Amino acid sequence: MTNAIIDQLKEKMASSIDALKRELVKIRTGRASLSLLDGIKVNAYGSQMLMDQVGTMTIPENNMIAIKPWDPQLLPAIEKAILGSGLGLTPQSDGNVVRLTIPPLTGERRKELVKQVKKIGEEYKVAIRNVRRDTNESLKKLKKDKDISEDEMFRLQEDAQKVTDGYITQVDDITGGKEKEVMAV
């Protein structure tokens, strides 16, 4: 039972790491990435569809994304979805394909993005620490109910702290890598 508590702790923290990676992928680095369009919904056929469900997305150049809709009538809807997404990119259409040119980042914008990366990293560190706190409270409750001994509770709390430290280090490594990526010219 006690190993199950630590396993559950690891599972929750691993899901936080996965969420952090998904969040950081959306930060623009001056290079084209299809993940920039993740979560953007297009109003197609009376319902909201994800961008990759309405056409083929490619990266013909390292600073350009091309979207070729399966139905050419969806071009205006795709353009509207991109404009309304808050990406700050202006789509250009030739009647067959929507192109997004990713402008190079200025030094000032890079610094802003690094701050944003650090802020996101801190939010996920807090989330990981909250998981540890919840686990420690569960352990205290088990001790109070006499399901585990005090020594076992302290041992499990130490294990939880070691796991937490490992995941905090992962967050630092991931955000550090993203900061380097953003600052690379």
Side-chain angles (χ1 to χ4, degrees):
M1 177 181 155
T2 54
N3 284 341
I5 292 172
I6 297 299
D7 290 343
Q8 187 178 17
L9 171 83
K10 288 178 182 177
E11 192 177 302
K12 287 179 180 176
M13 289 183 179
S15 69
S16 289
I17 293 293
D18 292 342
L20 170 67
K21 288 176 182 175
R22 282 192 308 273
E23 182 119 6
L24 289 180
V25 160
K26 294 179 183 174
I27 292 181
R28 201 160 51 93
T29 59
R31 275 186 245 124
S33 169
L34 296 180
S35 58
L36 283 175
L37 303 175
D38 285 354
I40 296 179
K41 295 192 176 184
V42 178
N43 190 4
Y45 311 114
S47 66
Q48 296 290 317
M49 299 175 75
L50 291 173
M51 188 71 68
D52 61 355
Q53 295 174 335
V54 296
T56 306
M57 301 186 306
T58 59
I59 300 176
E61 300 172 27
N62 70 352
N63 68 339
M64 182 181 290
I65 298 174
I67 306 157
K68 182 166 178 49
W70 294 309
D71 181 356
Q73 293 178 346
L74 292 178
L75 280 170
I78 290 172
E79 290 178 26
K80 185 176 180 183
I82 292 168
L83 287 170
S85 69
L87 279 178
L89 299 174
T90 306
Q92 298 158 343
S93 173
D94 64 5
N96 294 322
V97 178
V98 175
R99 288 183 178 78
L100 293 171
T101 304
I102 313 296
L105 297 173
T106 63
E108 188 176 309
R109 180 68 180 139
R110 288 179 195 278
K111 289 176 185 171
E112 288 174 23
L113 289 174
V114 166
K115 285 180 188 176
Q116 187 179 352
V117 167
K118 287 180 180 179
K119 181 176 178 254
I120 291 168
E122 280 305 314
E123 289 170 3
Y124 279 92
K125 285 182 189 178
V126 168
I128 287 171
R129 290 183 190 119
N130 286 342
V131 171
R132 179 199 55 203
R133 183 198 64 219
D134 294 344
T135 300
N136 285 341
E137 288 174 4
S138 298
L139 292 171
K140 288 176 186 175
K141 185 177 184 316
L142 287 173
K143 182 201 162 284
K144 183 180 174 194
D145 295 344
K146 300 195 185 331
D147 290 337
I148 60 173
S149 67
E150 189 167 349
D151 288 344
E152 193 172 7
M153 178 190 77
F154 286 124
R155 182 185 61 77
L156 289 168
Q157 283 180 332
E158 280 182 32
D159 290 349
Q161 184 60 48
K162 287 176 187 170
V163 170
T164 302
D165 292 343
Y167 279 100
I168 294 289
T169 302
Q170 280 187 41
V171 169
D172 288 337
D173 293 345
I174 292 166
T175 55
K178 186 65 174 187
E179 288 172 22
K180 286 178 186 165
E181 186 182 328
V182 166
M183 292 306 289
V185 180

